[in-house]
Amino acid sequence: MKKSHRIALLAFELALIVIFSLMPINLGAASLALTLLPVLVIALTQDFKTAVLGGLIMGVTSLIGAFTVGAASLTAPLFRNPLVSVLPRMCVPAAAWAVNRGLYALACKIREKRAEKRANTADETTQSGDGSSLAGDNPGVEETLRKKAATDFRIKTNAVKKPLAIVIDGVSSALGVCANTALVLGMIWLLYNGKTVGDSAITPEFMMGLVSLNFVIEIIVMTALTPPIVYAIRKQQEKNS
């Protein structure tokens, strides 16, 4: 990715994160901030470096918000520590990126195996009645069949069919949400277990209260919203390439 493109992309992401941070969606007892959405989109459509930078932006925004617009929040004192607000958020897009690339690589490998199987079947069908192969009379036949099968079934990351792409991106988004929750709460527990921070006593009950409702809403919303956005961006990237 060109440097200017990365800067523009990160600037746009920063604007979205700030807007989402200032305008959380209230859902009864839960409050949903969509700050994770642009981070996941960046992780699933861009390179590793840009994904980590996106997580850094999210973390720094969260840190600043704990001193400003979110200062009155019960959890604000916890997120004033960069080890809670920044470091885990840098790991979240890295995890989503790695899972996404791994799943696409697996899909490609499965398609390649199928291509090899079809190529072998094609070899058998080209044999003549006396057991000789048409490739023996025309050496280019067998190689052409193999290349055609490989071309038809060798699916690159940005060329996976839409239903499979949606599933892979949905799984990657869900695991990104899980990583965000696990890393942030894990760091809180590691640093403050048994202590009182602000007005909050960091107990197992307090931790369960943080993870229960918001986590369920986040994983549903992010899994539903991220894949179609990612798919549209990839298609646009293909047109511009």
Side-chain angles (χ1 to χ4, degrees):
M1 179 188 295
K2 294 181 179 180
K3 185 176 180 180
S4 58
H5 187 191
R6 179 182 288 113
I7 292 174
L9 189 63
L10 292 175
F12 179 67
E13 182 199 26
L14 176 59
L16 288 179
I17 290 176
V18 171
I19 292 172
F20 290 153
S21 297
L22 295 175
M23 300 176 62
I25 302 172
N26 294 319
L27 302 170
S31 178
L32 175 65
L34 296 176
T35 51
L36 192 57
L37 179 60
V39 175
L40 290 174
V41 170
I42 291 290
L44 303 190
T45 59
Q46 308 302 326
D47 56 68
F48 181 80
K49 184 176 180 179
T50 307
V52 174
L53 286 174
L56 175 62
I57 291 175
M58 178 183 176
V60 171
T61 304
S62 178
L63 176 64
I64 295 173
F67 288 98
T68 55
V69 293
S73 170
L74 188 65
T75 58
L78 298 170
F79 286 90
R80 289 169 187 163
N81 186 338
L83 293 177
V84 174
S85 56
V86 180
L87 182 60
R89 267 57 185 276
M90 294 178 65
C91 298
V92 169
W97 183 93
V99 169
N100 193 252
R101 296 308 186 274
L103 290 175
Y104 274 108
L106 179 61
C108 292
K109 188 173 182 180
I110 292 173
R111 292 302 183 99
E112 288 174 1
K113 291 294 184 181
R114 291 179 178 176
E116 291 176 6
K117 185 176 180 180
R118 290 208 173 189
N120 292 335
T121 302
D123 289 343
E124 294 175 1
T125 60
T126 58
Q127 290 181 344
S128 61
D130 60 359
S132 61
S133 172
L134 292 178
D137 299 327
N138 186 355
V141 171
E142 182 177 354
E143 185 63 22
T144 300
L145 289 171
R146 289 184 183 277
K147 286 184 177 180
K148 185 177 185 303
T151 301
D152 290 343
F153 293 90
R154 196 185 308 276
I155 308 301
K156 295 181 180 180
T157 300
N158 61 354
V160 171
K161 292 182 180 179
K162 186 174 181 179
L164 180 58
I166 292 294
V167 171
I168 291 177
D169 294 334
V171 171
S172 303
S173 302
L175 291 178
V177 174
C178 292
N180 180 63
T181 301
L183 292 172
V184 171
L185 296 187
M187 190 61 72
I188 291 175
W189 186 254
L190 180 65
L191 295 174
Y192 301 115
N193 176 26
K195 300 178 181 179
T196 299
V197 182
D199 296 327
S200 304
I202 310 305
T203 63
E205 292 77 16
F206 176 81
M207 300 297 290
M208 287 301 297
L210 289 179
V211 71
S212 57
L213 188 56
N214 274 36
F215 172 73
V216 173
I217 295 174
E218 282 180 0
I219 202 167
I220 292 174
V221 172
M222 298 304 166
T223 302
L225 293 182
T226 306
I229 296 174
V230 168
Y231 187 82
I233 290 175
R234 285 190 182 137
K235 286 302 179 183
Q236 188 62 41
Q237 289 174 335
E238 288 179 23
K239 291 180 180 179
N240 295 335
S241 61

